[in-house]
Amino acid sequence: MRAARIVLAASLALVSATVLARVGDGPETLRGPADFAGIADPRQRSLALFAEMGKVIRSPRCLNCHPRTDSPTQGDAMTLHSPPVTRGPRGEGVTAMRCRTCHGDANVAFSGSEGSIPGDPHWHLAPREMAWQGRTLGQICRQMSDPSRNGGKSLAQLVEHNGEDHLVGWAWRPGPGRKPAPGTQALFGALTQAWVDSGAACPD
């Protein structure tokens, strides 16, 4: 009888853990705008929405291409890019070491392994003024909403960029050997729209 109770308890714990893994508020999940609709104060709702966006923004998939130096990082551990490369004048590398030398239009999986070389038709580093590594979420938020530091984008264009840009979308299809950003690009775009609609407030 006691053994049966132990097995039942273990089974329930496993089911609970599985459910929590699917619907919980951990780093692998991304809640949608509706989950914040109950926050009556627009500013507080806006801050909560951007904090949720931060799960994507602070993912290695995004931070690796938004370095604070002229060299990108790579992988889930965000180690210095190997081979050594530098930004170059347009964020596309320097002569004889362009990003396109190794990064093609699509991911290329290594034969017989779980690794891959990432690829996208527009593969490049984010501009220096959009460096995110080492910055607080509030600092990143102010960068993103400032046209002088976000590539001249209005808030409406930022929504489109986050939700539809092909290179941004790579974060959710990074190829073998890399963990995708939380959620989906469509959900990230919807969160960005809800953040803008609620006033585009930034954390301190």
Side-chain angles (χ1 to χ4, degrees):
M1 188 72 171
R2 183 171 179 274
R5 284 198 299 268
I6 291 173
V7 170
L8 178 60
S11 298
L12 289 173
L14 179 60
V15 170
S16 297
T18 302
V19 171
L20 286 173
R22 290 176 181 171
V23 303
D25 191 26
E28 306 306 317
T29 64
L30 197 65
R31 293 183 291 168
D35 293 308
F36 302 89
I39 303 176
D41 181 81
R43 174 173 170 76
Q44 293 306 312
R45 184 167 65 255
S46 192
L47 291 172
L49 286 161
F50 195 82
E52 194 70 11
M53 291 167 59
K55 293 181 180 180
V56 173
I57 293 166
R58 287 181 156 171
S59 160
R61 300 290 74 78
C62 295
L63 289 181
N64 280 335
C65 291
H66 287 260
R68 57 184 171 183
T69 69
D70 283 339
S71 297
T73 51
Q74 64 183 24
D76 291 345
M78 296 179 58
T79 56
L80 192 63
H81 191 286
S82 178
V85 295
T86 189
R87 178 188 304 279
R90 298 175 55 191
E92 299 173 351
V94 295
T95 303
M97 191 58 83
R98 301 285 189 198
C99 298
R100 299 287 294 175
T101 301
C102 297
H103 299 280
D105 288 346
N107 301 328
V108 177
F110 298 141
S111 177
S113 82
E114 297 182 355
S116 60
I117 300 173
D120 184 274
H122 305 290
W123 196 265
H124 66 278
L125 281 182
R128 286 186 184 88
E129 60 268 23
M130 294 177 67
W132 292 353
Q133 290 185 17
R135 302 207 168 159
T136 68
L137 199 55
Q139 289 172 325
I140 294 172
C141 180
R142 286 183 283 278
Q143 282 177 296
M144 289 182 66
S145 55
D146 180 356
S148 70
R149 294 186 290 167
N150 72 5
K153 294 179 179 62
S154 66
L155 290 177
Q157 290 170 324
L158 183 62
V159 171
E160 181 180 0
H161 176 75
N162 286 357
E164 300 179 23
D165 183 84
H166 194 269
L167 181 56
V168 172
W170 175 88
W172 290 273
R173 42 178 171 75
R178 296 175 191 82
K179 186 182 298 183
T184 65
Q185 184 176 16
L187 187 52
F188 185 52
L191 284 167
T192 306
Q193 182 68 70
W195 169 67
V196 169
D197 291 343
S198 58
C202 289
D204 293 333

